[in-house]
Every structure is written in C-alpha cells, then in structure tokens.
Amino acid sequence: MKSLHWNAALIATFAIAFAATADAQSKDPIKIGVIAEAQAVAASSIPQAAQLAADEINAAGGVDGRKIEIVAYDDHSSAAEAVRAFQRAVNEDHVNAVIASYVSEVVLALEPWTGRLKTVMVTPGAASDVITQNIAKDYDNLKYTFHGYSTSTSIADATCDAAKDILVGQLHMKAAVVMSEDAAWTTPLDNEYLKCLPQIGLKVLDHIRVSPDTTDFTPIFNKIEGEKPDVMITGIAHVGVQPTVQWKQQEVPIPMFGISAQATNSSFWNDTNGAVDGVLYQAFSGPGVPVTPKTLPFVAAFNKRFGNNPSYCGYTAYDEVYYIADAIKRAGSTDPDKLVDALEKTDYVGTIGRVQFKGKDTANPHALKIGPDTITGLMLQWQDGKQINLWPAKVANGQLKFPKFIKVGSAN
C-alpha cells in the first residue's frame, strides 16, 4: 500500500509540474519575425506598422493572454541577407511566423525556406505572380507562404480600371507608353498592362523596361516625348525618386500614371523636393480614404507615432499582425500546419479591405482575393504636398489637377 500511495503522490507531483510548465509555455510571447528593407522609402513602414499592431494587441490583452513580440531584421534589400535573417529568426530566435519584404526577388529567395523550416511567411508588399504560382506547383512544401499584397496582374487590372474612368472617360486619352523598372514583379505587371490598356481604349505606343541602376532618365524621357503619348503608365518601386525628380526638372509634358510604390509614403514629397506633384499612383489604401472603418484610425495612430503616413506595405503589415494573431487564436496553437489551415480560412476586415485568400486548387493559392466584395483599388494623386484620392468616385476626396508643364492630350 505504501508503494501505491507513493506512486499516486508521484503522479500528482508530475501532473502539477507538467501543468505549471504547460501554463508557463502558454504564456510565452508569440514571436513574429519581420524581415524588411528598413532604409527603403516604401519598406520602412513595414516594421513600424507591425510594431504598432503588436502594441495594440498587447494593450488589449494579447492572444489568450500571450503577448505579441516583434523581432525585426533589416535585409538591406539583399536576398542573401534575407535568407540568413529567416534562418536566424527560425533557428535561433524561434519565431512563430514571419512577415517578409516588399521586394519580389527577396520573397522568391525566401519561399523555399518556408517549406524547409516549416514556418509561415506572409508578404506585405512583394507583388510577383510567381510567388503564388510556385505554391500551385508544390503546395505541400510551399503552403507556408501567404501573399499578403495583390499580385502584379491584379495591380495592373486595378490600374486599368482607374485609367478607363479617369484617362479615357474624363480626359479622352488615346495613347500610352508603358515604362517599368526591370524587375521580377514588373514582368507579369507589364504583360497585363499590354493586354488591358488596349482593351480600355489606350493604344500602347512603346514598352520601355528601365534598369534599376539607371541614374539619368533624360534620354528615356526624350524618347517618350518623341512618341507623343497622352500618358506614361508606370511600374516603378525601387527607382522612384530619380525618374520623378527628372520628370519635373525636365518638365516632361506627359502625365505619370500607374504604380509608383515610393509615392505611397508621405515622406516622398520631401524625398523628391515636391517633384512628385501631379503624379498619379495606384494603391489599395491611402490617407484620408475610409476604405474600411479601420483605415483612418490606423493612419492617425501611425502618423502620431512615426511622424508620417505609412507606405502601401505599412497598411498590409499592420493587418498581417492582426490576422496572424487571429489565426493563432482560432487554431489554438502556433503549430505551423495548424496555422496554415487557420490562415486559409481567414476572413478579416483590415485597413485595405476584406482579407480572404484564394484556395489551394486555384492558379494562385494564398493570393488575396480582389474584387468589390473583398479588396478594390484606389488611384491617388499628389497635390500641393498632399495625397488625394481621385478614384473610385464613392471614396474620392478631391479633383484631378496637374502642374502647369503637363499638357493633357499631347497625342491629339
């Protein structure tokens, strides 16, 4: 009987110890690694917005009592450094998920590692369709990657939708030149531009791919001027300052309309010394635009804390911390496979719209659903130091206005 009593006491002791250990583990912080290009104009908002979201979640009690901890890494726009950061985040810092990069080449380098290390990664700004096409080809290994921003093809379609109303409908434009930086994300972007622009009534006179190392855009602008288009349709993210400044200095009379990722950050006015005045750029959220009830409060909180409005991938990074936390809560676990299952069921209203992911049997698994019931695009214009939304009309907060050197309808 003594032996029986001893065993019972021992079991009880182990049970108490195990419960205490499990409780301690359950209160460990949830770690989210954030790998970004911290010094880049467009990407600097990523770690800032992620930290803001984590602080808000923690102030509200965390996730079932567990705090969110952001562990930030600067990849210096290098795929090799990003891979090293990802390995360190998982193997040494033991993060539960990663938010990574606005550079498609960086995300494509990281993607295989999500499978090797079985770690969820959500992208806040990279756009290349290849990211999700890879998941379709190798779902079992690459299912840990989620595309938290629109694909390049969807961005081009959103740009064409706005161009149909503004450029063709309002301004009666007929001809365009496509000018994009030579990068992974612009290959599908340009392919879609070349399809959708003629469909809305804009003849494409030329398609120019610009090296990211270009420092003098004068000959490029001279060539475009000689072709007399009504508009330049852009795809620029890494070379935004130089072409914008030279467009103004050279007084190129042709409007810039399309993707200008750096222009989404309110610091871009000072970065270009105001040369961005008149530039139109596509985005999914913007300051002063109540896309959802969460958009304006986020912008106000970000501005109060960091002194400027977020870039486009600040909105997505903020949302991502929230819906990663929500997925962990719904899964009741940080187990990567359970987290994948939960993220696939995401239905979250964030700052950019209603976030839902495409299914694993689609051509772009884990890409954001884009459309009137989920996420739609905006078209904003820089005017006198402010970012003004012009499209769609229901959320417009200003009227189209160009600098004096712009000649609308130069091809007519």
Side-chain angles (χ1 to χ4, degrees):
M1 289 296 291
K2 284 184 180 179
S3 171
L4 187 61
H5 285 307
W6 186 85
N7 284 341
L10 186 63
I11 290 168
T13 301
F14 274 129
I16 292 168
F18 178 78
T21 302
D23 184 62
Q25 288 176 340
S26 71
K27 299 304 179 186
D28 285 346
I30 295 166
K31 291 186 176 183
I32 299 177
V34 176
I35 301 171
E37 300 68 35
Q39 306 308 312
V41 175
S44 60
S45 295
I46 296 172
Q48 295 172 335
Q51 188 62 59
L52 179 61
D55 291 346
E56 290 176 357
I57 293 169
N58 292 341
V63 180
D64 293 329
R66 299 176 67 183
K67 299 291 188 182
I68 300 286
E69 181 181 331
I70 300 297
V71 187
Y73 312 84
D74 186 352
D75 65 23
H76 302 97
S77 300
S78 162
E81 286 197 41
V83 168
R84 285 193 290 271
F86 191 90
Q87 292 168 338
R88 176 185 161 193
V90 177
N91 294 329
E92 298 178 27
D93 297 332
H94 307 295
V95 302
N96 303 112
V98 171
I99 292 171
S101 190
Y102 93 118
V103 180
S104 290
E105 287 84 353
V106 168
V107 170
L108 289 167
L110 290 175
E111 192 171 24
W113 287 97
T114 65
R116 290 170 193 152
L117 298 180
K118 296 191 184 310
T119 301
V120 164
M121 174 180 74
V122 188
T123 68
S128 174
D129 294 59
V130 177
I131 296 164
T132 47
Q133 289 167 354
N134 286 343
I135 302 170
K137 294 174 185 174
D138 190 9
Y139 175 82
D140 288 341
N141 286 319
L142 301 182
K143 65 181 181 180
Y144 303 98
T145 296
F146 286 78
H147 200 179
Y149 191 66
S150 177
T151 62
S152 296
T153 298
S154 293
I155 296 170
D157 288 337
T159 301
C160 281
D161 286 344
K164 181 180 179 180
D165 288 349
I166 297 173
L167 303 183
V168 178
Q170 295 179 31
L171 302 178
H172 310 293
M173 292 185 175
K174 298 176 181 178
V177 167
V178 173
M179 183 187 78
S180 292
E181 63 192 24
D182 190 3
W185 74 278
T186 58
T187 300
L189 180 88
D190 287 4
N191 288 340
E192 191 65 12
Y193 273 163
L194 298 180
K195 281 172 53 181
C196 70
L197 289 170
Q199 290 171 351
I200 64 168
L202 282 174
K203 181 181 179 181
V204 179
L205 303 178
D206 200 355
H207 174 209
I208 298 171
R209 301 275 288 176
V210 177
S211 167
D213 299 323
T214 301
T215 56
D216 185 6
F217 284 79
T218 303
I220 296 168
F221 286 142
N222 287 344
K223 183 176 188 293
I224 293 172
E225 279 193 67
E227 292 168 325
K228 293 184 168 29
D230 292 308
V231 64
M232 281 185 279
I233 304 294
T234 58
I236 54 178
H238 309 289
V239 297
V241 173
Q242 197 65 13
T244 304
V245 169
Q246 289 192 252
W247 172 75
K248 171 67 181 299
Q249 287 176 340
Q250 197 171 326
E251 295 199 341
V252 180
I254 304 157
M256 292 176 72
F257 182 107
I259 315 302
S260 179
Q262 295 180 0
T264 64
N265 194 321
S266 65
S267 68
F268 200 59
W269 181 268
N270 290 332
D271 294 334
T272 62
N273 233 1
V276 72
D277 191 42
V279 168
L280 292 110
Y281 67 90
Q282 191 276 340
F284 290 98
S285 278
V289 189
V291 175
T292 77
K294 295 179 182 176
T295 311
L296 299 185
F298 161 62
V299 174
F302 189 97
N303 198 308
K304 181 179 179 181
R305 182 155 173 182
F306 301 109
N308 63 287
N309 293 332
S311 70
Y312 78 100
C313 43
Y315 295 88
T316 45
Y318 177 83
D319 288 346
E320 285 162 11
V321 172
Y322 269 98
Y323 61 71
I324 289 171
D326 175 65
I328 290 170
K329 184 178 180 66
R330 286 185 288 109
S333 172
T334 54
D335 174 83
D337 291 305
K338 291 179 180 178
L339 185 51
V340 167
D341 290 341
L343 280 169
E344 287 182 336
K345 298 179 180 70
T346 295
D347 189 354
Y348 175 80
V349 175
T351 63
I352 66 169
R354 185 179 180 186
V355 175
Q356 295 179 334
F357 293 105
K358 294 182 180 180
K360 64 180 179 181
D361 296 326
T362 64
N364 298 92
H366 297 176
L368 290 178
K369 292 182 181 179
I370 303 295
D373 296 325
T374 49
I375 297 169
T376 55
L378 307 175
M379 186 58 66
L380 298 99
Q381 185 183 39
W382 274 98
Q383 297 180 7
D384 303 320
K386 296 180 180 179
Q387 295 157 290
I388 305 298
N389 187 50
L390 305 179
W391 183 92
K394 64 181 180 181
V395 287
N397 54 14
Q399 300 291 321
L400 184 68
K401 186 171 73 171
F402 285 116
K404 291 180 179 178
F405 67 86
I406 293 293
K407 297 175 183 175
V408 177
S410 59
N412 295 328

